[in-house]
Amino acid sequence: MSHLDYKLLIFDWDGTLCNSIGRIVESMHAASTRAGYALCDDLAVKGIIGLGLPEAIRTLYPEIGDDELIAFRQHYADHYMALDAQPSPLFEGVAQTLEAFRADGYHLAVATGKARRGLDRVLKAHGWENYFDATRAADETASKPHPLMLEQILAQCGVSPRQALMVGDASFDLMMARNAGMDSVAVSYGAQSAEALQAYEPRLTIDRFSELQAWLSRAH
C-alpha cells in the first residue's frame, strides 16, 4: 500500500506524543508503596504502559482484590496529579509535525490508556481541546490491545482500517492495530525498545517523531 493511501493518523499519548513515562513509573511505585505491595522494577512497569489503569495494576499485581484495586488506583491518581501540576512536555517535534499533518489534510486522532478525565486535562493544558478529529480513552471503551477504540475512531472519521495508521511506543498499541486490521508505526523513544516492538511487525520504526512526516511524504 502506498503511503498516500493513509487518511487517518492515530496516536498513542504517553510515550508517543508526550514525555510522561518517568512520571507513570514513579506514580506506580508510589502507589505500590502506599498500598503495601512490593515494588516492581521499572522495566515491568514500562511493560504495562498503554493498558487502562485497572488492567495495568492487575497485570503487575494479579492477587489484588477489588477493594484494594480501588484504593491503589486512587493512590496512583493522587501522585500522578501532583506531578502533573506542571504538564509533561511533548516530545521534540511533535507540535510542528502534527501541524504539518493537518496542513496535508490528514485526520488526526488519539487512542490512549489514559482515563477520559486525564486525557481531557492534558489536552487542555496543551491548548488542544478541539485539536483532534477523534479521541478515545481507556475508561470509555475496551482497553488495549482490544481493537474497539480504534474501530470507534474509524467509524467516527468514516475511514477504513486500510486507510489508517496507528503510531505507538508499546506492544499493546501495535497489537491493537493488528487486531483492527490496521498498519502501525513503532516509536523507539517511549516505554519499550525498538527491538521488543519488532515482533509486532510495524511498517516503520522511528527514533524521532518528525521522521514519520518524512516517511509519509516520501511518495509525494
Side-chain angles (χ1 to χ4, degrees):
M1 182 172 66
S2 164
H3 304 160
L4 296 176
D5 292 332
Y6 296 125
K7 299 183 184 304
L8 169 63
L9 307 179
I10 306 173
F11 303 97
D12 169 59
W13 183 266
D14 293 303
T16 299
L17 299 182
C18 188
N19 188 2
S20 48
I21 299 300
R23 290 183 181 184
I24 293 172
V25 173
E26 179 182 333
S27 298
M28 190 64 74
H29 289 334
S32 302
T33 299
R34 287 192 64 186
Y37 285 88
L39 295 185
C40 296
D41 63 33
D42 289 0
L43 193 61
V45 177
K46 289 180 179 180
I48 54 80
I49 292 175
L51 293 175
L53 184 56
E55 292 81 6
I57 296 167
R58 287 195 184 280
T59 300
L60 292 173
Y61 300 103
E63 71 278 15
I64 196 167
D66 291 344
D67 290 341
E68 293 172 299
L69 177 64
I70 293 170
F72 195 114
R73 289 178 66 181
Q74 191 60 52
H75 295 325
Y76 177 92
D78 290 344
H79 195 87
Y80 193 89
M81 285 284 288
L83 292 176
D84 224 37
Q86 177 66 35
S88 298
L90 301 173
F91 284 107
E92 182 181 354
V94 165
Q96 301 92 321
T97 304
L98 290 180
E99 279 297 316
F101 289 149
R102 279 167 60 103
D104 286 340
Y106 288 104
H107 293 293
L108 304 180
V110 169
T112 179
K114 283 185 173 300
R116 169 53 63 181
R117 184 176 66 170
L119 178 61
D120 285 348
R121 187 184 72 253
V122 295
L123 289 175
K124 183 177 181 179
H126 291 285
W128 281 355
E129 294 99 322
N130 301 303
Y131 189 88
F132 294 95
D133 296 281
T135 61
R136 284 296 182 279
D139 62 341
E140 61 191 6
T141 183
S143 175
K144 303 172 185 180
H146 194 286
L148 181 59
M149 71 168 70
L150 293 184
E151 292 165 353
Q152 292 171 340
I153 290 170
L154 291 171
Q156 183 174 336
C157 295
V159 171
S160 73
R162 289 186 59 79
Q163 296 173 309
L165 185 68
M166 176 70 207
V167 183
D169 67 311
S171 58
F172 306 112
D173 299 317
L174 308 191
M175 290 166 64
M176 178 175 65
R178 179 189 289 176
N179 291 341
M182 185 183 300
D183 283 345
S184 66
V185 167
V187 306
S188 67
Y189 52 76
Q192 296 179 27
S193 69
E195 291 74 21
L197 297 175
Q198 290 310 304
Y200 304 96
E201 300 179 328
R203 287 289 303 269
L204 176 73
T205 300
I206 56 175
D207 298 321
R208 293 180 300 278
F209 190 79
S210 59
E211 292 173 13
L212 180 60
Q213 182 187 7
W215 182 69
L216 288 170
S217 64
R218 195 169 297 150
H220 283 276

